[in-house]
Amino acid sequence: MTSRARLLTFGLAAAWLAIGYLNVARGTSHAGAGYRFWSFQHHCYSDVIALHGDRYLGGGRPLPYLEDRIEYPVLLGIALWLPSFAPGGALGHFTVSYAVLALCLFAALLALERLPGARPFWLGATPALVYYAGLNWDLLPIALLCGALLALARDRPGAGGALTALGTSAKLFPGVLAPPALLALAGDGARAPLLRFGAGLAAALLAVNLPFALAAPAGWSWFFRFNAGRGAENSIWDALGVGRGPLLEVLSTGPMLLAVALACAAAWRAARSGGDAGRAVRLGVALALTAWIATNKVWSPQYALYGFLAGALAAAPAGLFLVLCAASVADFHIAFEVRARRWEPWFRDHVFHPDGVVRSLLWLLLAAWIARELWRCARAAPAEAHAEAVSSPSTR
């Protein structure tokens, strides 16, 4: 990454974060019962402010999972709770949370610029950060996932496994790294790195989750029960009328599972043939993330950040970046305008639902491009090895 590209990427990221903070923070003066509808009308909604208003506005601080049922994994529950100790009420809580998320973004960008073949510009330069950096806590698992990938690239599998576990304990998305990473390490033939990755993964998962699972099993497991019971929400399946049931579960998990399987096959093949297994893993993660957000039964607008991360890992073309930036900005405004209009049928059916279909198709277009690169990466090493063998003189 050249110094000019680095300055542009980090400068744009800082600018988008500043604009996003000013846009969203104005909602802290409306925190409480009326916040959601006010923020929908002003297109500045944030789960950080909304959930603070639900839980901490009166000064209480119920312990996550033990006294407070939270629909997120453990690390996000803690990330919601800890800033409640900051002075300044809703504004203080949001400011501290946003500052941590901004640090997570810059940590992710620093990790990306050290990953071979990555293009941090995809994540740092997207104007989607204005809308999504403070909408939820997704920049935290994104930073942990980038850290895990960097640890693996630098032959630190134990740290890679631990960071993968922490990312998965914040949101499930980083978990897509574990299967292809394990296959790449197994295919390499050395047992020690594989064991270190598995040990780091298991130890961190248990250390973070087991205390809560033992102390408050109902509170800890609410995340899983809550999401298992959800139907199609704001997704392509909602737009196409697939509300809930077995068909929805197959449609929403099948593409992601297929992407993970392809990632595993490519990582194994590259490792066994002496190819670039690290790049195969990174492309596999990018493919799984993109397929997941495009076809998941639930769509939240900030999921676009995982798509831009995928584009960064795959170094996808600039044309796709520009199209997806425009689509992500439009998607935010349409998503909250339909709520401000209280789901008026004509706007929902003729604007909101078509937007959901177009959005998914665009992310699937990125997934198709990444899948092609993954296929090329998996096949490159055997082809090069064969060519070298043919061109080398016989030793017999």
Side-chain angles (χ1 to χ4, degrees):
M1 190 176 183
T2 66
S3 58
R4 185 176 179 180
R6 188 175 193 270
L7 180 62
L8 181 61
T9 299
F10 282 76
L12 281 173
W16 297 140
L17 288 171
I19 296 170
Y21 175 80
L22 293 174
N23 178 49
V24 178
R26 57 198 176 112
T28 58
S29 60
H30 300 270
Y35 167 74
R36 285 178 172 82
F37 188 63
W38 181 91
S39 65
F40 297 159
Q41 290 180 308
H42 293 80
H43 291 204
C44 61
Y45 174 78
S46 169
D47 284 327
V48 179
I49 298 174
L51 296 181
H52 170 272
D54 293 344
R55 290 168 164 82
Y56 313 124
L57 194 60
R61 297 185 184 92
L63 292 172
Y65 309 102
L66 282 73
E67 301 172 337
D68 182 15
R69 194 171 65 172
I70 299 176
E71 64 269 25
Y72 296 115
V74 167
L75 284 188
L76 253 65
I78 295 172
L80 167 64
W81 176 68
L82 283 177
S84 68
F85 291 90
L91 179 60
H93 181 275
F94 177 70
T95 300
V96 170
S97 298
Y98 199 89
V100 171
L101 293 171
L103 291 174
C104 288
L105 173 63
F106 288 117
L109 294 175
L110 288 171
L112 285 169
E113 72 172 353
R114 288 162 173 76
L115 286 175
R119 190 172 294 165
F121 188 85
W122 260 80
L123 181 61
T126 174
L129 289 169
V130 172
Y131 304 97
Y132 304 136
L135 195 156
N136 201 278
W137 293 266
D138 292 83
L139 287 173
L140 171 59
I142 283 174
L144 291 167
L145 175 55
C146 291
L149 287 166
L150 181 60
L152 288 172
R154 295 192 168 183
D155 295 322
R156 298 179 60 191
L163 287 168
T164 301
L166 292 176
T168 307
S169 299
K171 279 207 171 177
L172 294 185
F173 291 102
V176 298
L177 170 58
L182 287 167
L183 266 293
L185 292 169
D188 191 49
R191 179 178 295 182
L194 176 64
L195 292 176
R196 289 202 296 271
F197 181 88
L201 181 72
L205 276 175
L206 290 173
V208 172
N209 288 277
L210 190 59
F212 292 94
L214 294 176
W220 175 81
S221 63
W222 169 242
F223 162 75
F224 301 99
R225 291 181 283 117
F226 172 77
N227 284 283
R230 298 174 82 174
E233 299 175 21
N234 311 320
S235 62
I236 186 173
W237 311 120
D238 181 25
L240 297 177
V242 185
R244 59 177 62 247
L247 177 60
L248 174 65
E249 300 302 323
V250 171
L251 291 172
S252 64
T253 59
M256 184 270 293
L257 294 176
L258 176 60
V260 171
L262 292 174
C264 290
W268 171 265
R269 180 184 175 96
R272 295 290 289 177
S273 59
D276 192 345
R279 176 161 170 75
V281 169
R282 292 189 290 273
L283 286 170
V285 168
L287 177 62
L289 288 175
T290 314
W292 194 348
I293 65 172
T295 62
N296 191 25
K297 66 180 180 179
V298 176
W299 168 263
S300 291
Q302 79 276 3
Y303 289 174
L305 294 176
Y306 294 98
F308 287 109
L309 170 62
L313 291 172
L320 274 174
F321 171 77
L322 294 174
V323 170
L324 289 167
C325 283
S328 297
V329 170
D331 188 56
F332 177 89
H333 289 290
I334 292 170
F336 291 107
E337 184 62 22
V338 73
R339 289 161 175 80
R341 292 170 177 267
R342 300 185 187 276
W343 298 86
E344 289 178 4
W346 76 267
F347 192 84
R348 179 197 64 207
D349 296 341
H350 299 293
V351 179
F352 180 68
H353 282 164
D355 170 68
V357 174
V358 171
R359 173 222 306 141
S360 290
L361 293 176
L362 289 175
W363 287 117
L364 286 173
L365 181 62
L366 175 60
W369 187 91
I370 295 172
R372 186 189 67 175
E373 293 300 302
L374 181 63
W375 173 256
R376 289 176 173 177
C377 179
R379 290 181 59 84
E384 291 169 3
H386 177 71
E388 183 178 344
V390 170
S391 60
S392 299
S394 174
T395 57
R396 293 183 183 179

